[in-house]
Amino acid sequence: MSKIIFDIAIIGAGVVGAAIARKLSSYNLEIALIEKECDVSFGVSKANSGIIHGGFHHGSEYLKSKLEVQGNRMFDQLEQELHFPFRRCGIIVAAFSIEEMKTVEQLYLNGIANKVVGIEMCNRSRMLSLEPKLNTDVVGGLYAPAGGIIEPYRFVFSLVESALKNGVKLFTEFKVVSAEHNSEGYTVISENGNIVHSKWAVNASGLFADEISNIFNAEKFKITPRKGEEFLLDRNSAARTEHVVFPVPDHVSKGILIIPTVEGTTMLGPTAIPQDSKEDVSTTSVNLGMVFSSARRMVPSISQRDIITSFTGLRPVLESGDFYIDISKKQKHFIQVAGIQSPGLTAVPAIAEYVKDLVKKDGLILTEKSSYDPDIEKLPRMRTLNPEEADVLIQDDPSFGEIVCRCESVSEAEIVAAVKHGHTTLDGIKFYTRAQMGRCQGGFCTDRIIKIVQRETGLRYEDITKRGKDSWLIEDRIGDIKVNSYGSVE
Amino acid sequence: MKELKFDTLVIGGGSAGMAAALEVSKRGFSVAVVERENSMGGILNQCIHNGFGLHHFNEELSGPAYAEKFIDMVESSNIKVFLDMTVMDMEETGDMKYVYGMSGKTGMIKFCVKTVIFANGCRERNRGSIGTPGTRPSGVFTAGLAQRLVNMEGYIPGKECVIVGSGDIGLIMARRMTWVGAKVKAVIEIQPYPAGLTRNIVQCLNDFNIPLYLSHVVGDIHGKDRVESIDVIPLKNGVEQKDKSFNIICDSLLLAVGLVPDNELAQKIGISINPETNGPIVDRQLMTGKNGIFACGNVLHVHDLVDFVTEESERCGKYAADYMDGKTFSDQYRTVPGQNIKYLVPNFYSPHRDNKFYLRTMIVKNRAELIVSVNGKEIFSKKLKHIQPSEMISFSILEDTVGAEIISECRNNTLEVKIV
């Protein structure tokens, strides 16, 4: 077989790598998208808060502010092309003292400087009419109607699906351990011995961007993970707000938010605690109390009774606090895209444009691909259909009538679609379909999903995992072991 | 979209739904049962252990055998059963209810009915509900899911388990996992006393030398991809003794930490829920706040024994038939849980009819007394040998126990129950 030399290899299939891959797939290029996990969006992106930010948190001196405002405006078109759940529900910042109102005013000025459309200062009664569930102690605040919410993993899945449709090659379970540069370009080698050759490389490896930069012998910098714990509340929670509700931020983070997720649950968080480990995504009991008391200060009806799950995400933070997106000054044809923490998700469509301009500047020839198709197929979701629409769909394909996940009304057809799109782990299926994401957390549907995956893929039960590697589910099968009448294994 | 007319639609074909449907059908009304699994029986189908039916059938049956008896009766009745069907939505106009049920075979069906009986059971509380901290590896299962994997699919979800919760499901699974060759290293219980039946402590734990840690909680779950170990923390007077915590190496954690009635649909159509039970607030006839909509079994409140579910659901079926026969009672007053009572079902009573109550206490006590009073006057009492929160208590207030002299138009006539 002849050796394929890709024009460009993008390291990391989180939201940043996926958006860059899709953007570049509109040009006549051979593109490799490389991911160390067994599925895309399994790193930082899966535990993102899903907020499309309003462009007022940071001053105009930051690159991230510029890209945030640009990126925000690009989501309507992306939604039309890629069909991920997205809603411009608006963002409010609630102040509870005159001092806090001074910070709010600064945020407002940031927004004006960043050219945010529609941003406004609100007095107490306007805040309460916008968001009746707010604590009546509210003094005033800020309203940014262009802010919104998305499902971050679905966004990544759609970006990757679009990229693949336009010719990008995806390499999963490809943990980069070495990269050599010679006259032909890079030879990138994975832990399990696979090789990708490419002329350019993009470092979009999130928490591991510092390590990848070292492997490529490029700039030295340090990514510090900043832990964010989130708590998810039931759909029926009385505390679900209309808008994303922010407290007045402090110097470290944007604070504990109340997020009415686009799919109907309510999320509280994230905390912001720096740590050394890039792997430790454990939750703690200490933070639960802190998150709830912070959130309840803004919306008193929030109740711990409504928790259905909690999880942790890690933000990849650089010392500068800004994004680092540039052509490497040390290594040839190497593009750094590091430190993409909040508002990275919002900025990502603009980051992709920015990186496209950088690679062009660095000499990569970009000619538009005539066959480029920005649209992906829109998959029906049972929970969004009225009874008549559902009936029509079932007549066409009965598997839409078989509900697998009762809490989130996910049909067998949707699970099968997830598998057909390459999401064969329980978590991959969860992020693609929402099955197991509701109030029973997979209690009723896990066994059904295992059976469907087996049927569709031919995988053996012991090969089905929660999220790849050693996250196996089933140890054994009855009949494979012998047990005596006293309950001991013979 | 197909439209079908019945007098009654029963949501759920488990023990509650089948018992209720049979009673409605016996009275000559047309009944449909919607069941989301491919056979009736509900959770009984995965409960292959014995201990069912001692009250109702005077014999000890396995879960599937208990279900089979009802399935046979349903199949030889005029009840129309829709299997593999999920109820998606519901609406009401005037006296009619419209329920949308869907299956691959039938497409979406609009059921037009006079009465609806919710009999769709409960779900398990999970890790999120109890807020267990730590990593989020594979290998954390609810006990019911583990039971289904083992008993229905033949899958063994782990070889070294720890079980959280000493309720009957936890105990049964401790024995079951041992029988399939797994090592059950511990059962962890937050309370200072076991939550399950004594017979299950003996038969499921003691007989297999499985240690039961009372007054202990799981502190942290460890493991990146799969569970590797858990921290266990002893409690002293309810306070965590973190310095005395210890680690247990295991590959799986089974959570048997309680059940919650599944009432999303009821809530969606505006039925009020009792926050103590998570089931609908119901009157003496087990009718919810919406006329013609009833609830019974574990969707109303979580029961200990299927026999009690059957008893309650048969009454519910009769009440629904009474309602369609025009027999409703306006002379109903509130019931309230008093001293040491967690909850009381139903939430209304009628002084001129028989009333059956189920309740749970909040205390453990030997030689307790249950006292019922109306307008401050004691009308009934009952001695109880031993009470504990995990054991449901029942009693009846028969027609005219509440004398005419007690009921007064100028009082609220609330029936209060306490345990001392």
Side-chain angles (χ1 to χ4, degrees):
Chain A
M1 221 170 75
S2 66
K3 185 165 92 177
I4 301 172
I5 300 178
F6 289 96
D7 293 303
I8 191 160
I10 299 157
I11 324 281
V15 71
V16 176
I20 294 168
R22 178 183 186 253
K23 180 68 217 170
L24 295 179
S25 74
S26 66
Y27 301 97
N28 288 305
L29 296 172
E30 294 294 330
I31 303 162
L33 179 59
I34 291 175
E35 171 56 48
K36 76 176 167 56
E37 301 293 329
C38 67
D39 202 345
V40 303
S41 194
F42 268 29
V44 170
S45 299
K46 75 169 183 293
N48 190 291
S49 298
I51 295 171
I52 301 306
H53 284 283
F56 56 80
H57 270 106
H58 308 282
S60 55
E61 69 274 22
Y62 287 96
L63 173 63
K64 63 183 180 182
S65 295
K66 187 179 114 193
L67 295 175
E68 174 187 357
V69 176
Q70 281 174 13
N72 179 307
R73 290 183 195 137
M74 295 162 80
F75 271 87
D76 302 273
Q77 192 191 337
L78 282 169
E79 181 202 14
Q80 293 206 341
E81 292 165 352
L82 300 175
H83 319 297
F84 51 89
F86 166 57
R87 197 160 65 85
R88 283 198 194 276
C89 58
I91 290 173
I92 59 173
V93 180
F96 289 89
S97 68
I98 304 298
E99 289 66 39
E100 285 194 341
M101 277 307 285
K102 288 180 183 150
T103 312
V104 168
E105 199 182 336
Q106 184 54 50
L107 298 179
Y108 174 76
L109 293 174
N110 282 345
I112 296 297
N114 293 336
K115 300 187 177 65
V116 174
V117 180
I119 192 164
E120 56 172 286
M121 295 283 287
C122 304
N123 73 359
R124 177 177 179 275
S125 66
R126 173 130 176 91
M127 287 297 282
L128 287 168
S129 79
L130 280 168
E131 195 56 67
K133 287 175 183 166
L134 277 181
N135 188 335
T136 50
D137 287 349
V138 68
V139 172
L142 187 77
Y143 176 44
I149 39 178
I150 67 170
E151 273 205 327
Y153 26 84
R154 281 277 301 282
F155 180 46
V156 181
F157 288 169
S158 290
L159 287 167
V160 172
E161 185 181 335
S162 172
L164 298 185
K165 186 177 177 182
N166 290 297
V168 171
K169 300 279 182 302
L170 175 65
F171 298 82
T172 52
E173 293 181 323
F174 194 111
K175 182 181 178 184
V176 175
V177 288
S178 78
E180 298 287 323
H181 193 262
N182 57 30
S183 56
E184 281 183 328
Y186 291 105
T187 301
V188 184
I189 301 173
S190 78
E191 194 171 45
N192 45 8
N194 291 319
I195 298 172
V196 164
H197 301 280
S198 76
K199 295 174 194 154
W200 265 262
V202 177
N203 179 10
S205 47
L207 287 167
F208 303 90
D210 48 359
E211 292 167 39
I212 291 293
S213 189
N214 286 342
I215 288 170
F216 277 80
N217 205 16
E219 283 79 358
K220 300 252 182 252
F221 52 87
K222 182 169 163 47
I223 299 283
T224 306
R226 189 187 290 158
K227 192 178 207 172
E229 280 186 50
E230 310 248 22
F231 294 85
L232 197 66
L233 307 184
D234 194 283
R235 281 176 183 281
N236 281 340
S237 167
R240 184 173 160 88
T241 50
E242 292 295 317
H243 308 83
V244 179
V245 182
F246 281 73
V248 172
D250 59 26
H251 61 283
V252 179
S253 79
K254 299 183 174 84
I256 302 299
L257 326 182
I258 300 160
I259 306 161
T261 71
V262 68
E263 291 283 17
T265 50
T266 303
M267 197 154 75
L268 308 179
T271 56
I273 300 159
Q275 67 178 30
D276 291 331
S277 168
K278 293 175 178 179
E279 307 277 347
D280 175 13
V281 288
S282 61
T283 52
T284 59
S285 47
V286 181
N287 288 332
L288 184 144
M290 193 279 281
V291 166
F292 273 79
S293 62
S294 300
R296 255 195 227 113
R297 181 168 160 252
M298 297 192 289
V299 174
S301 54
I302 286 169
S303 166
Q304 282 191 31
R305 283 173 66 116
D306 293 330
I307 303 178
I308 55 176
T309 189
S310 61
F311 58 89
T312 292
L314 299 175
R315 311 169 183 85
V317 179
L318 279 170
E319 208 177 330
S320 68
D322 203 353
F323 298 163
Y324 167 37
I325 311 175
D326 211 345
I327 300 163
S328 171
K329 299 194 171 49
K330 263 190 87 182
Q331 183 58 276
K332 203 179 169 195
H333 296 341
F334 189 68
I335 314 293
Q336 301 276 20
V337 191
I340 313 298
Q341 55 152 325
S342 177
L345 182 69
T346 312
V348 89
I351 292 174
E353 291 284 338
Y354 194 87
V355 170
K356 178 258 300 178
D357 292 338
L358 286 181
V359 291
K360 191 175 172 189
K361 191 174 146 195
D362 198 40
L364 186 62
I365 295 161
L366 303 181
T367 59
E368 281 181 22
K369 198 193 286 179
S370 58
S371 62
Y372 175 70
D373 180 358
D375 297 317
I376 61 170
E377 193 191 348
K378 185 174 184 181
L379 184 80
R381 306 272 169 176
M382 277 324 270
R383 70 181 163 281
T384 65
L385 305 179
N386 66 36
E388 284 81 9
E389 292 167 336
D391 194 46
V392 171
L393 199 58
I394 300 166
Q395 303 312 327
D396 202 40
D397 179 354
S399 66
F400 276 106
E402 308 289 348
I403 292 294
V404 175
C405 165
R406 56 178 73 172
C407 304
E408 297 292 311
S409 300
V410 181
S411 66
E412 184 175 331
E414 291 158 65
I415 307 280
V416 171
V419 175
K420 294 222 161 107
H421 282 95
H423 310 296
T424 55
T425 63
L426 286 192
D427 277 2
I429 289 166
K430 175 167 80 181
F431 295 138
Y432 191 86
T433 65
R434 291 189 68 78
Q436 318 156 71
M437 216 181 259
R439 57 170 62 89
C440 90
Q441 290 285 300
F444 283 116
C445 62
T446 300
D447 58 321
R448 290 184 178 207
I449 295 170
I450 291 173
K451 274 196 271 189
I452 295 170
V453 175
Q454 281 194 273
R455 186 189 73 203
E456 295 297 315
T457 60
L459 282 172
R460 293 171 308 172
Y461 61 86
E462 63 266 37
D463 294 331
I464 295 174
T465 65
K466 181 168 161 62
R467 51 165 172 264
K469 296 182 191 156
D470 288 326
S471 64
W472 53 273
L473 290 157
I474 306 298
E475 160 91 44
D476 209 336
R477 232 182 147 157
I478 293 177
D480 299 352
I481 50 170
K482 283 198 166 61
V483 179
N484 66 28
S485 57
Y486 302 103
S488 310
V489 182
E490 279 179 351
Chain B
M1 186 170 48
K2 218 187 210 173
E3 281 192 25
L4 294 175
K5 283 193 171 59
F6 291 91
D7 292 318
T8 300
L9 181 82
V10 179
I11 303 175
S15 49
M18 289 192 288
L22 282 163
E23 291 305 315
V24 179
S25 176
K26 275 181 201 162
R27 296 272 288 270
F29 294 103
S30 60
V31 185
V33 174
V34 172
E35 165 55 49
R36 47 185 149 201
E37 299 293 326
N38 60 14
S39 69
M40 285 184 290
I43 228 71
L44 284 171
N45 289 333
Q46 69 186 59
C47 299
I48 61 171
H49 51 281
N50 268 20
F52 301 91
L54 286 167
H55 295 255
H56 192 77
F57 291 112
N58 286 320
E59 60 177 312
E60 195 173 12
L61 301 167
S62 70
Y66 189 100
E68 193 66 35
K69 285 184 181 260
F70 279 91
I71 293 170
D72 288 347
M73 287 188 265
V74 170
E75 282 176 349
S76 54
S77 74
N78 293 321
I79 297 167
K80 179 91 177 113
V81 180
F82 295 84
L83 297 174
D84 288 316
M85 182 176 278
T86 305
V87 170
M88 300 298 284
D89 207 355
M90 184 170 170
E91 50 198 42
E92 43 169 2
T93 46
D95 282 344
M96 290 300 288
K97 309 346 171 190
Y98 305 99
V99 180
Y100 297 91
M102 174 179 96
S103 78
K105 232 177 293 165
T106 61
M108 186 71 79
I109 294 180
K110 183 179 182 181
F111 292 95
C112 313
V113 298
K114 293 177 198 152
T115 53
V116 172
I117 299 176
F118 279 106
N120 52 296
C122 52
R123 64 173 187 275
E124 298 181 272
R125 295 177 77 225
N126 52 50
R127 181 177 175 180
S129 328
I130 58 169
T132 310
T135 55
R136 312 196 60 75
S138 175
V140 181
F141 300 90
T142 56
L145 171 60
Q147 187 180 46
R148 195 154 57 253
L149 288 170
V150 174
N151 291 350
M152 310 287 278
E153 311 297 338
Y155 291 144
I156 302 169
K159 281 287 169 67
E160 294 195 306
C161 324
V162 170
I163 293 175
V164 185
S166 69
D168 291 315
I169 306 168
L171 302 176
I172 296 286
M173 280 314 291
R175 179 175 64 185
R176 188 70 186 118
M177 292 305 291
T178 308
W179 273 343
V180 297
K183 172 87 186 147
V184 178
K185 296 187 124 178
V187 174
I188 313 283
E189 170 59 53
I190 188 168
Q191 301 286 359
Y193 48 85
L197 300 171
T198 310
R199 71 168 193 225
N200 283 332
I201 298 285
V202 175
Q203 294 170 9
C204 301
L205 300 189
N206 299 355
D207 288 0
F208 301 95
N209 297 320
I210 297 168
L212 171 63
Y213 293 89
L214 298 172
S215 297
H216 282 70
V217 292
V218 174
D220 247 321
I221 298 173
H222 303 285
K224 183 169 181 289
D225 296 325
R226 178 79 192 191
V227 174
E228 286 163 15
S229 72
I230 58 155
D231 290 342
V232 180
I233 308 175
L235 302 178
K236 194 175 174 188
N237 300 324
V239 180
E240 292 187 1
Q241 308 291 298
K242 287 211 167 132
D243 52 323
K244 294 194 175 120
S245 84
F246 55 95
N247 184 269
I248 300 180
I249 291 172
C250 56
D251 65 11
S252 47
L253 190 65
L254 269 46
L255 303 177
V257 291
L259 304 167
V260 194
D262 223 349
N263 274 301
E264 191 182 26
L265 193 58
Q267 276 177 283
K268 197 174 156 192
I269 58 167
I271 289 173
S272 308
I273 301 294
N274 179 354
E276 293 292 351
T277 55
N278 280 305
I281 291 174
V282 290
D283 71 4
R284 178 197 161 264
Q285 289 170 280
L286 305 182
M287 186 159 84
T288 67
K290 298 260 179 196
N291 275 343
I293 303 181
F294 297 78
C296 59
N298 281 350
V299 79
L300 180 56
H301 60 119
V302 176
H303 296 59
D304 303 348
L305 297 179
V306 69
D307 304 72
F308 299 156
V309 168
T310 300
E311 186 282 321
E312 179 180 275
S313 305
E314 286 181 341
R315 271 190 298 122
C316 187
K318 285 180 189 141
Y319 296 146
D322 286 348
Y323 169 85
M324 288 186 283
D325 280 336
K327 284 187 235 163
T328 52
F329 308 101
S330 54
D331 60 334
Q332 292 201 30
Y333 305 106
R334 284 206 155 268
T335 65
V336 294
Q339 209 174 325
N340 298 326
I341 309 279
K342 171 77 173 155
Y343 73 78
L344 182 64
V345 173
N347 309 80
F348 292 86
Y349 79 105
S350 167
H352 307 115
R353 317 277 156 195
D354 291 353
N355 299 275
K356 169 109 187 181
F357 295 95
Y358 284 110
L359 63 87
R360 270 181 207 280
T361 178
M362 301 175 84
I363 57 169
V364 181
K365 194 177 178 186
N366 291 321
R367 292 187 305 281
E369 190 176 14
L370 177 145
I371 298 168
V372 184
S373 55
V374 174
N375 291 337
K377 195 164 161 36
E378 185 179 320
I379 56 156
F380 175 83
S381 71
K382 185 179 175 180
K383 301 256 187 259
L384 301 164
K385 223 192 288 175
H386 172 80
I387 55 166
Q388 60 185 58
S390 59
E391 290 192 12
M392 219 161 76
I393 298 165
S394 75
F395 67 96
S396 294
I397 298 292
L398 300 180
E399 190 181 337
D400 295 330
T401 307
V402 190
E405 73 285 1
I406 296 173
I407 298 296
S408 157
E409 272 182 34
C410 21
R411 308 286 296 269
N412 59 19
N413 299 321
T414 300
L415 178 143
E416 188 179 313
V417 183
K418 62 178 176 181
I419 280 183
V420 290

